[in-house]
Short mmCIF file of all heavy atoms in Angstrom, two decimals:
data_model
loop_
_atom_site.label_atom_id
_atom_site.label_comp_id
_atom_site.label_asym_id
_atom_site.label_seq_id
_atom_site.Cartn_x
_atom_site.Cartn_y
_atom_site.Cartn_z
N MET C 1 0.86 -1.18 0.02
CA MET C 1 -0.03 -0.04 0.03
C MET C 1 0.87 1.21 -0.07
O MET C 1 1.67 1.37 0.83
CB MET C 1 -0.91 -0.01 1.29
CG MET C 1 -1.49 1.29 1.59
SD MET C 1 -2.72 1.11 2.98
CE MET C 1 -1.71 1.18 4.49
N ASN C 2 0.67 2.13 -0.91
CA ASN C 2 1.38 3.43 -0.99
C ASN C 2 0.31 4.47 -1.08
O ASN C 2 -0.30 4.70 -2.16
CB ASN C 2 2.29 3.56 -2.23
CG ASN C 2 3.72 3.23 -1.82
OD1 ASN C 2 4.59 3.27 -2.70
ND2 ASN C 2 3.99 2.92 -0.59
N LYS C 3 0.15 5.24 0.04
CA LYS C 3 -0.81 6.31 0.06
C LYS C 3 -0.14 7.59 0.29
O LYS C 3 0.95 7.59 0.97
CB LYS C 3 -1.83 6.04 1.14
CG LYS C 3 -2.44 4.70 1.23
CD LYS C 3 -3.88 4.67 0.74
CE LYS C 3 -4.36 3.25 0.89
NZ LYS C 3 -5.65 3.01 0.11
N PHE C 4 -0.76 8.62 -0.18
CA PHE C 4 -0.13 10.00 -0.06
C PHE C 4 -1.14 10.87 0.71
O PHE C 4 -2.28 10.91 0.44
CB PHE C 4 0.16 10.66 -1.40
CG PHE C 4 1.22 9.86 -2.17
CD1 PHE C 4 0.90 8.82 -3.02
CD2 PHE C 4 2.64 10.10 -1.89
CE1 PHE C 4 1.80 8.15 -3.76
CE2 PHE C 4 3.57 9.33 -2.63
CZ PHE C 4 3.20 8.34 -3.49
N ILE C 5 -0.54 11.74 1.63
CA ILE C 5 -1.36 12.74 2.15
C ILE C 5 -0.71 14.17 2.05
O ILE C 5 0.54 14.28 2.46
CB ILE C 5 -1.60 12.44 3.75
CG1 ILE C 5 -2.43 11.19 3.91
CG2 ILE C 5 -2.34 13.66 4.34
CD1 ILE C 5 -2.48 10.75 5.38
N GLY C 25 1.07 12.22 11.47
CA GLY C 25 2.03 11.07 11.32
C GLY C 25 2.07 10.24 12.57
O GLY C 25 2.11 8.98 12.51
N LEU C 27 -0.17 9.85 14.87
CA LEU C 27 -1.46 9.08 15.05
C LEU C 27 -1.46 7.87 14.11
O LEU C 27 -1.88 6.79 14.55
CB LEU C 27 -2.62 10.00 14.67
CG LEU C 27 -2.96 11.05 15.69
CD1 LEU C 27 -4.23 11.75 15.39
CD2 LEU C 27 -2.98 10.57 17.14
N LEU C 28 -1.04 8.08 12.89
CA LEU C 28 -1.05 6.96 11.97
C LEU C 28 -0.02 5.82 12.41
O LEU C 28 -0.27 4.66 12.25
CB LEU C 28 -0.75 7.39 10.52
CG LEU C 28 -1.89 8.30 9.94
CD1 LEU C 28 -1.55 8.68 8.47
CD2 LEU C 28 -3.26 7.74 10.05
N GLU C 29 1.18 6.30 12.90
CA GLU C 29 2.11 5.32 13.48
C GLU C 29 1.44 4.52 14.60
O GLU C 29 1.67 3.42 14.87
CB GLU C 29 3.38 6.00 13.94
CG GLU C 29 4.27 6.37 12.81
CD GLU C 29 5.70 6.87 13.22
OE1 GLU C 29 5.84 6.97 14.43
OE2 GLU C 29 6.58 7.03 12.39
N GLY C 30 0.66 5.30 15.49
CA GLY C 30 -0.05 4.71 16.54
C GLY C 30 -1.02 3.63 16.15
O GLY C 30 -1.31 2.73 16.85
N ARG C 31 -1.48 3.74 14.88
CA ARG C 31 -2.29 2.73 14.28
C ARG C 31 -1.58 1.64 13.56
O ARG C 31 -2.20 0.73 12.87
CB ARG C 31 -3.23 3.35 13.26
CG ARG C 31 -4.26 4.36 13.78
CD ARG C 31 -5.54 3.71 14.25
NE ARG C 31 -6.30 4.66 14.90
CZ ARG C 31 -7.54 4.38 15.54
NH1 ARG C 31 -7.86 3.13 15.65
NH2 ARG C 31 -8.26 5.29 16.02
N GLY C 32 -0.25 1.65 13.78
CA GLY C 32 0.63 0.58 13.25
C GLY C 32 1.10 0.73 11.78
O GLY C 32 1.60 -0.17 11.18
N LEU C 33 0.83 1.96 11.19
CA LEU C 33 1.19 2.21 9.82
C LEU C 33 2.64 2.68 9.78
O LEU C 33 3.21 3.31 10.71
CB LEU C 33 0.31 3.28 9.20
CG LEU C 33 -1.15 2.81 9.04
CD1 LEU C 33 -1.95 3.97 8.31
CD2 LEU C 33 -1.38 1.50 8.27
N ASN C 34 3.28 2.35 8.62
CA ASN C 34 4.56 2.82 8.40
C ASN C 34 4.59 4.14 7.64
O ASN C 34 4.11 4.16 6.54
CB ASN C 34 5.22 1.79 7.56
CG ASN C 34 6.70 1.59 7.93
OD1 ASN C 34 7.41 2.52 8.13
ND2 ASN C 34 7.16 0.34 8.08
N VAL C 35 5.02 5.23 8.36
CA VAL C 35 4.78 6.57 7.79
C VAL C 35 6.16 7.19 7.36
O VAL C 35 7.13 7.03 8.08
CB VAL C 35 4.10 7.42 8.88
CG1 VAL C 35 3.92 8.86 8.33
CG2 VAL C 35 2.79 6.77 9.26
N ARG C 36 6.19 7.88 6.28
CA ARG C 36 7.34 8.67 5.91
C ARG C 36 6.87 10.08 5.84
O ARG C 36 5.76 10.35 5.23
CB ARG C 36 7.93 8.24 4.52
CG ARG C 36 8.51 6.86 4.54
CD ARG C 36 9.85 6.89 5.32
NE ARG C 36 10.49 5.57 5.35
CZ ARG C 36 10.03 4.66 6.24
NH1 ARG C 36 9.14 4.80 7.08
NH2 ARG C 36 10.62 3.50 6.14
N MET C 37 7.75 11.04 6.16
CA MET C 37 7.42 12.47 6.10
C MET C 37 8.23 13.12 5.01
O MET C 37 9.52 12.86 4.99
CB MET C 37 7.68 13.14 7.37
CG MET C 37 6.96 12.48 8.65
SD MET C 37 5.29 12.72 8.70
CE MET C 37 4.98 14.46 8.72
N GLY C 81 9.94 7.35 11.34
CA GLY C 81 10.53 6.94 10.04
C GLY C 81 11.84 7.70 9.84
O GLY C 81 12.14 8.72 10.36
N PRO C 82 12.77 7.02 9.00
CA PRO C 82 14.05 7.63 8.75
C PRO C 82 13.91 8.84 7.92
O PRO C 82 12.94 9.03 7.12
CB PRO C 82 14.81 6.48 7.91
CG PRO C 82 13.67 5.66 7.42
CD PRO C 82 12.53 5.73 8.37
N ILE C 126 8.76 12.79 -4.81
CA ILE C 126 7.90 12.40 -3.82
C ILE C 126 7.68 10.86 -3.94
O ILE C 126 7.66 10.13 -2.95
CB ILE C 126 6.50 13.09 -4.03
CG1 ILE C 126 6.69 14.61 -3.60
CG2 ILE C 126 5.36 12.50 -3.15
CD1 ILE C 126 5.54 15.54 -4.00
N GLN C 127 7.54 10.41 -5.19
CA GLN C 127 7.22 8.92 -5.37
C GLN C 127 8.49 8.05 -4.95
O GLN C 127 8.30 7.00 -4.46
CB GLN C 127 6.77 8.64 -6.79
CG GLN C 127 5.28 8.86 -6.92
CD GLN C 127 4.86 9.39 -8.34
OE1 GLN C 127 5.65 9.69 -9.15
NE2 GLN C 127 3.50 9.37 -8.56
N VAL C 129 10.34 8.61 -2.41
CA VAL C 129 10.30 8.33 -0.97
C VAL C 129 9.46 7.17 -0.67
O VAL C 129 9.65 6.32 0.18
CB VAL C 129 9.83 9.63 -0.17
CG1 VAL C 129 9.69 9.33 1.24
CG2 VAL C 129 10.80 10.74 -0.41
N ALA C 130 8.31 7.12 -1.41
CA ALA C 130 7.31 6.05 -1.18
C ALA C 130 7.98 4.67 -1.58
O ALA C 130 7.61 3.70 -0.96
CB ALA C 130 5.97 6.28 -2.04
N LYS C 131 8.72 4.73 -2.56
CA LYS C 131 9.33 3.47 -3.11
C LYS C 131 10.54 3.02 -2.32
O LYS C 131 11.02 1.89 -2.47
CB LYS C 131 9.70 3.61 -4.59
CG LYS C 131 8.37 3.57 -5.48
CD LYS C 131 8.76 3.55 -6.94
CE LYS C 131 7.77 4.27 -7.81
NZ LYS C 131 8.33 5.47 -8.49
N GLU C 132 11.17 3.93 -1.70
CA GLU C 132 12.47 3.61 -0.96
C GLU C 132 12.41 2.36 -0.14
O GLU C 132 13.30 1.69 -0.03
CB GLU C 132 12.70 4.85 0.02
CG GLU C 132 14.17 5.22 0.18
CD GLU C 132 14.12 6.58 0.97
OE1 GLU C 132 13.77 6.60 2.12
OE2 GLU C 132 14.58 7.52 0.31
N ASP C 133 11.20 2.17 0.51
CA ASP C 133 11.08 1.05 1.40
C ASP C 133 9.76 0.35 1.17
O ASP C 133 8.71 1.04 1.16
CB ASP C 133 11.17 1.59 2.86
CG ASP C 133 10.93 0.49 3.93
OD1 ASP C 133 10.62 -0.64 3.58
OD2 ASP C 133 11.13 0.77 5.06
N SER C 134 9.77 -0.91 0.84
CA SER C 134 8.54 -1.53 0.40
C SER C 134 7.48 -1.62 1.55
O SER C 134 6.30 -1.85 1.28
CB SER C 134 8.77 -2.89 -0.10
OG SER C 134 9.43 -3.70 0.91
N GLU C 135 7.93 -1.40 2.74
CA GLU C 135 7.08 -1.50 3.94
C GLU C 135 6.29 -0.11 4.11
O GLU C 135 5.44 -0.09 4.98
CB GLU C 135 7.90 -1.72 5.22
CG GLU C 135 8.79 -2.92 5.17
CD GLU C 135 7.92 -4.16 5.47
OE1 GLU C 135 7.62 -4.36 6.71
OE2 GLU C 135 7.63 -4.87 4.47
N THR C 136 6.68 0.91 3.44
CA THR C 136 6.00 2.19 3.58
C THR C 136 4.60 2.11 3.27
O THR C 136 4.21 1.77 2.13
CB THR C 136 6.68 3.31 2.77
OG1 THR C 136 8.09 3.34 3.18
CG2 THR C 136 6.05 4.66 2.95
N ASP C 137 3.68 2.65 4.13
CA ASP C 137 2.23 2.58 3.93
C ASP C 137 1.79 4.05 3.43
O ASP C 137 1.03 4.12 2.43
CB ASP C 137 1.48 2.30 5.30
CG ASP C 137 1.83 0.91 5.75
OD1 ASP C 137 1.72 -0.08 4.92
OD2 ASP C 137 2.12 0.75 6.87
N VAL C 138 2.21 5.02 4.20
CA VAL C 138 1.74 6.40 3.84
C VAL C 138 2.85 7.35 3.84
O VAL C 138 3.78 7.40 4.65
CB VAL C 138 0.87 6.89 5.03
CG1 VAL C 138 0.19 8.20 4.63
CG2 VAL C 138 -0.28 5.87 5.23
N VAL C 139 2.83 8.25 2.77
CA VAL C 139 3.87 9.28 2.79
C VAL C 139 3.02 10.63 3.02
O VAL C 139 2.11 10.94 2.28
CB VAL C 139 4.56 9.37 1.44
CG1 VAL C 139 5.60 10.60 1.39
CG2 VAL C 139 5.22 8.04 1.05
N ILE C 140 3.45 11.28 3.97
CA ILE C 140 2.81 12.63 4.36
C ILE C 140 3.75 13.73 3.76
O ILE C 140 4.85 13.73 4.15
CB ILE C 140 2.57 12.79 5.86
CG1 ILE C 140 1.70 11.69 6.37
CG2 ILE C 140 2.03 14.18 6.12
CD1 ILE C 140 1.42 11.80 7.89
N SER C 166 -3.70 8.91 -8.57
CA SER C 166 -3.80 7.77 -7.65
C SER C 166 -5.18 7.36 -7.29
O SER C 166 -5.38 6.22 -6.83
CB SER C 166 -3.14 8.17 -6.35
OG SER C 166 -1.94 8.80 -6.50
N THR C 169 -9.11 7.16 -2.90
CA THR C 169 -8.64 6.62 -1.56
C THR C 169 -7.10 6.62 -1.35
O THR C 169 -6.61 6.28 -0.35
CB THR C 169 -9.15 5.21 -1.34
OG1 THR C 169 -8.62 4.40 -2.42
CG2 THR C 169 -10.61 5.16 -1.38
N ASN C 170 -6.37 6.87 -2.46
CA ASN C 170 -4.91 6.65 -2.32
C ASN C 170 -4.13 7.96 -2.03
O ASN C 170 -2.95 8.01 -1.84
CB ASN C 170 -4.36 6.00 -3.60
CG ASN C 170 -4.78 4.52 -3.56
OD1 ASN C 170 -4.89 3.94 -2.49
ND2 ASN C 170 -5.08 3.95 -4.74
N ALA C 171 -4.82 9.03 -2.31
CA ALA C 171 -4.08 10.38 -2.01
C ALA C 171 -5.13 11.31 -1.48
O ALA C 171 -6.19 11.66 -2.07
CB ALA C 171 -3.43 10.90 -3.20
N LEU C 172 -4.82 11.93 -0.30
CA LEU C 172 -5.71 12.87 0.33
C LEU C 172 -5.14 14.30 0.35
O LEU C 172 -3.87 14.43 0.41
CB LEU C 172 -6.01 12.53 1.72
CG LEU C 172 -6.72 11.15 1.94
CD1 LEU C 172 -6.98 11.08 3.51
CD2 LEU C 172 -8.00 11.05 1.18
N VAL C 262 -9.30 9.91 8.54
CA VAL C 262 -8.34 9.80 7.55
C VAL C 262 -8.22 8.33 7.05
O VAL C 262 -8.20 8.05 5.82
CB VAL C 262 -6.89 10.22 8.04
CG1 VAL C 262 -5.84 9.75 7.09
CG2 VAL C 262 -6.90 11.77 8.18
N LEU C 263 -8.18 7.39 7.93
CA LEU C 263 -8.14 5.97 7.57
C LEU C 263 -9.39 5.58 6.70
O LEU C 263 -9.29 4.82 5.82
CB LEU C 263 -7.97 5.11 8.76
CG LEU C 263 -6.70 5.22 9.52
CD1 LEU C 263 -6.60 4.43 10.80
CD2 LEU C 263 -5.43 4.85 8.59
N MET C 266 -9.13 6.78 3.35
CA MET C 266 -8.17 6.00 2.54
C MET C 266 -8.56 4.58 2.36
O MET C 266 -7.73 3.81 1.79
CB MET C 266 -6.71 6.13 3.23
CG MET C 266 -6.21 7.60 3.18
SD MET C 266 -4.45 7.70 3.63
CE MET C 266 -4.36 6.83 5.13
N VAL C 268 -8.63 2.34 4.66
CA VAL C 268 -7.75 1.42 5.45
C VAL C 268 -8.44 0.99 6.62
O VAL C 268 -9.16 1.79 7.30
CB VAL C 268 -6.45 2.10 5.85
CG1 VAL C 268 -5.57 1.23 6.71
CG2 VAL C 268 -5.65 2.63 4.68
N GLU C 269 -8.51 -0.33 6.91
CA GLU C 269 -9.16 -0.84 8.10
C GLU C 269 -8.62 -0.25 9.35
O GLU C 269 -7.39 -0.22 9.45
CB GLU C 269 -8.99 -2.38 8.03
CG GLU C 269 -10.11 -3.10 8.81
CD GLU C 269 -9.74 -4.59 8.85
OE1 GLU C 269 -9.42 -5.07 7.70
OE2 GLU C 269 -9.83 -5.15 9.91
N ARG C 271 -7.24 -0.02 12.61
CA ARG C 271 -6.59 -0.95 13.59
C ARG C 271 -6.65 -0.25 15.02
O ARG C 271 -6.82 0.94 15.06
CB ARG C 271 -5.10 -1.26 13.22
CG ARG C 271 -5.05 -2.01 11.99
CD ARG C 271 -3.55 -2.21 11.60
NE ARG C 271 -3.29 -1.81 10.23
CZ ARG C 271 -2.19 -1.74 9.73
NH1 ARG C 271 -1.06 -2.23 10.37
NH2 ARG C 271 -1.92 -1.31 8.53
#
Side-chain angles (χ1 to χ4, degrees):
M1 163 171 84
N2 261 181
K3 311 253 180 193
F4 297 92
I5 298 175
L27 291 186
L28 296 182
E29 283 190 352
R31 294 274 178 187
L33 296 183
N34 216 316
V35 179
R36 293 288 179 279
M37 305 292 302
I126 292 171
Q127 274 148 350
V129 175
K131 284 187 214 117
E132 216 168 65
D133 177 352
S134 59
E135 304 281 286
T136 300
D137 297 310
V138 185
V139 182
I140 299 180
S166 313
T169 60
N170 289 325
L172 301 184
V262 165
L263 292 173
M266 294 194 305
V268 177
E269 202 183 313
R271 294 178 237 179

